[in-house]
Every structure is written in structure tokens, then in C-alpha cells.
Amino acid sequence: AQSVAQPEDQVNVAEGNPLTVKCTYSVSGNPYLFWYVQYPNRGLQFLLKYITGDNLVKGSYGFEAEFNKSQTSFHLKKPSALVSDSALYFCAVRDRKAGSYQLTFGKGTKLSVIP
Amino acid sequence: GAGVSQTPSNKVTEKGKYVELRCDPISGHTALYWYRQSLGQGPEFLIYFQGTGAADDSGLPNDRFFAVRPEGSVSTLKIQRTERGDSAVYLCASSLTFRGTENTEAFFGQGTRLTVV
């Protein structure tokens, strides 16, 4: 079984400050890891993914995430937050096992960037 | 089309009625997924199609739920004898997924908000 934990329901950060949204995962094999963002009344939008290689992956809108295998974490980061980054963020995991295409999502973290 | 299209965007139905939710994936995407998102929760997997066949339907909660993709493109999620607990946002996604591309990301539609009264 695979699972994702996002320990913070809400993260508040001042505009211009760095932000971190936490994610830890559990999977039997090696993972594919994803971050998605959801704006109000909009569908999920892909931000970035970890497949293999460099532990630091860069994605859309200046976001990046760091894969840490020993801590089974994949935290989302941005050096300088914008008010427009305020949204709901979801971490997701998929097992690398062949034939496994099911994404398991965390509960989501609401990010509020305060002007 | 440019993105995944889902219709209707909102559906209100009475308890016990039958509903169909439609998904039109991105052109050329062989893989199609249905997820359900309840209030305050992340999306939960329902079913995955590769082409016309359901490759994994382990997330369907019971036999009231059924999905088809007869021509390998548009998919319909069907719910019989709806219950108030079925109220949620139903999300459809598609991706390019075939051997060697298992790591491709899924692109989501805006969802259908189903309310059972």
C-alpha cells in the first residue's frame, strides 16, 4: 500500500518570504513523486515531479522540491512567495512497479501568502 | 482538445436516481483516470483505463459505480441508485502512458460537482 502525509493543513507566509510545504510518503518500492496545485473552482494543475537523478527538481512558477530518500520526504519550496501562490497544494506518490498507475494523494495543504 | 473536459460541471440529483458523468481526455492520451474528491480531502483513485479496457478498477467503492470507455477516448462514469454519501467532486485525468513512460504526469479536468439531495 502507498500513502502520503501532509502534516500541515494550512501554511501562512508573508509575501517575499521563502515557503515550504511538507510531504512525506510511504511506498513499497521506489516512488514517483508529484506536486499539484488547485486554485478555487479549478482543476488540479501539475507543478513538478521527481523521477530519478537530482534530488532537487524544479517546476512551474518558480517552485522546486527536494527528494530525500532517507526521510521519505518530498517538500515543496519557493524562495520568495507571491500572493498569487495562495492555493491548495497536493503531494502525490506512485509506485514505480510496472503496471502501477494509481496516484495516491495527500489531504492537501492550504497555502496563504499574506501581502 | 487543449485540455481534459468534463461535463456537466455541476449536477444535482435526488437520492436513488441514476447519473452519468462525462470525460473527454486530451487528444492522443491513451490513459484515463477517474478520481473522487470529498470536501477537505485529496483526490481518491476510482478507476484507470488504458485504451478501451479498465486496467485497474480497485478504487470503485461498490457495484453501484461503473465506468466505460468504448472507443478509447471519451469515458463515462455511471452511478446507480445514488446516495447522499456519493456527493463529491469527480475528477477525470488523462496521460500519455505506455511502456517506458510510466512516469508521465496526469492532466486533470475541472471536475464535476455532484450533489445528491
Side-chain angles (χ1 to χ4, degrees), chain A residues 20-50:
Chain A
T20 299
V21 182
K22 295 179 180 177
C23 170
T24 58
Y25 67 90
S26 174
V27 68
S28 59
N30 291 312
Y32 294 130
L33 292 158
F34 303 83
W35 275 100
Y36 285 84
V37 60
Q38 188 173 43
Y39 296 98
N41 300 315
R42 302 276 298 275
L44 290 165
Q45 294 180 30
F46 170 76
L47 274 180
L48 52 78
K49 63 183 178 183
Y50 171 78

Side-chain angles (χ1 to χ4, degrees), chain A residues 32 34 36 38 41-46 49 51 88 90 94 96-108, chain B residues 33 35 37 40-45 48 50 56 58 91 97-99 102-111 113:
Chain A
Y32 294 130
F34 303 83
Y36 285 84
Q38 188 173 43
N41 300 315
R42 302 276 298 275
L44 290 165
Q45 294 180 30
F46 170 76
K49 63 183 178 183
I51 303 303
L88 194 53
F90 291 95
R94 177 193 294 158
R96 284 179 184 267
K97 179 174 57 180
S100 172
Y101 300 111
Q102 188 181 131
L103 271 177
T104 298
F105 286 85
K107 289 187 176 182
Chain B
Y33 314 79
Y35 286 81
Q37 187 176 17
Q41 301 294 318
E44 294 178 308
F45 171 79
Y48 157 64
Q50 181 62 259
D56 182 354
S58 61
L91 297 168
T97 303
F98 48 89
R99 179 172 291 186
E102 292 87 357
N103 57 18
T104 56
E105 61 271 23
F107 294 87
F108 283 80
Q110 293 190 14
R113 183 177 299 277

Side-chain angles (χ1 to χ4, degrees), chain B residues 2-62:
Chain B
V4 178
S5 176
Q6 292 188 246
T7 54
S9 54
N10 282 282
K11 176 71 176 178
V12 181
T13 190
E14 293 181 348
K15 180 175 175 294
K17 298 290 188 182
Y18 168 83
V19 296
E20 290 189 352
L21 311 180
R22 176 189 168 104
C23 173
D24 198 345
I26 293 172
S27 178
H29 280 191
T30 57
L32 184 146
Y33 314 79
W34 284 100
Y35 286 81
R36 178 168 71 173
Q37 187 176 17
S38 300
L39 193 63
Q41 301 294 318
E44 294 178 308
F45 171 79
L46 294 177
I47 187 170
Y48 157 64
F49 288 89
Q50 181 62 259
T52 60
D56 182 354
D57 65 357
S58 61
L60 294 177
N62 52 59

Side-chain angles (χ1 to χ4, degrees), chain B residues 55-103:
Chain B
D56 182 354
D57 65 357
S58 61
L60 294 177
N62 52 59
D63 61 5
R64 296 187 297 106
F65 289 74
F66 189 71
V68 296
R69 195 186 185 198
E71 297 178 356
S73 178
V74 170
S75 176
T76 304
L77 179 66
K78 307 180 180 191
I79 311 174
Q80 298 177 324
R81 304 183 304 280
T82 52
E83 300 177 356
R84 292 194 178 89
D86 299 334
S87 297
V89 176
Y90 289 81
L91 297 168
C92 178
S94 69
S95 69
L96 280 170
T97 303
F98 48 89
R99 179 172 291 186
T101 64
E102 292 87 357
N103 57 18

